[in-house]
Amino acid sequence: MTNKNKQLLLTQVLQSADPVEWYRMLKEIRAFKTDYLHYMTTDPINADKELERLESADYDLCAALLMMLLREEQHRSGSLQSRRDSGELATLVTRMIQFLD
């Protein structure tokens, strides 16, 4: 898969708050981080604190942060929609897209 295709999939999934679509996309672009916990600095994970690292995050950390948000959705239904509405998902995806340029 080309970086342009990855960028397209990342852009398309932004319209969704369905975690299944997000998981599917991450698998398709090979950014699915089963070891996302290794990237986190807080224990227990504090998603808001972890997202503060986004500005200096590399592509892998961005993918891990996205996995963290998807896992958060499993424990707090509706959190993915809230983070999409607040623009946090768009910021994260935009950062990933920049690395694919």
Side-chain angles (χ1 to χ4, degrees), residues 80-98:
L80 193 63
Q81 179 69 45
S82 295
R83 294 201 183 270
R84 194 183 78 139
D85 292 347
S86 72
E88 291 170 306
L89 275 177
T91 302
L92 179 54
V93 168
T94 299
R95 182 104 174 121
M96 290 179 78
I97 289 171
Q98 290 171 344

Side-chain angles (χ1 to χ4, degrees), residues 27 36 47 66 68:
K27 286 180 181 178
Y36 76 98
L66 191 46
M68 172 196 70

Side-chain angles (χ1 to χ4, degrees), residues 49-97:
K49 186 78 169 164
E50 296 294 346
L51 287 172
E52 291 175 5
R53 303 168 53 208
L54 185 56
E55 191 174 306
S56 62
D58 63 9
Y59 184 83
D60 288 328
L61 178 55
C62 287
L65 290 170
L66 191 46
M67 283 295 294
M68 172 196 70
L69 294 179
L70 291 171
R71 297 296 300 200
E72 177 186 51
E73 172 68 19
Q74 288 182 323
H75 299 286
R76 263 189 33 219
S77 183
S79 64
L80 193 63
Q81 179 69 45
S82 295
R83 294 201 183 270
R84 194 183 78 139
D85 292 347
S86 72
E88 291 170 306
L89 275 177
T91 302
L92 179 54
V93 168
T94 299
R95 182 104 174 121
M96 290 179 78
I97 289 171

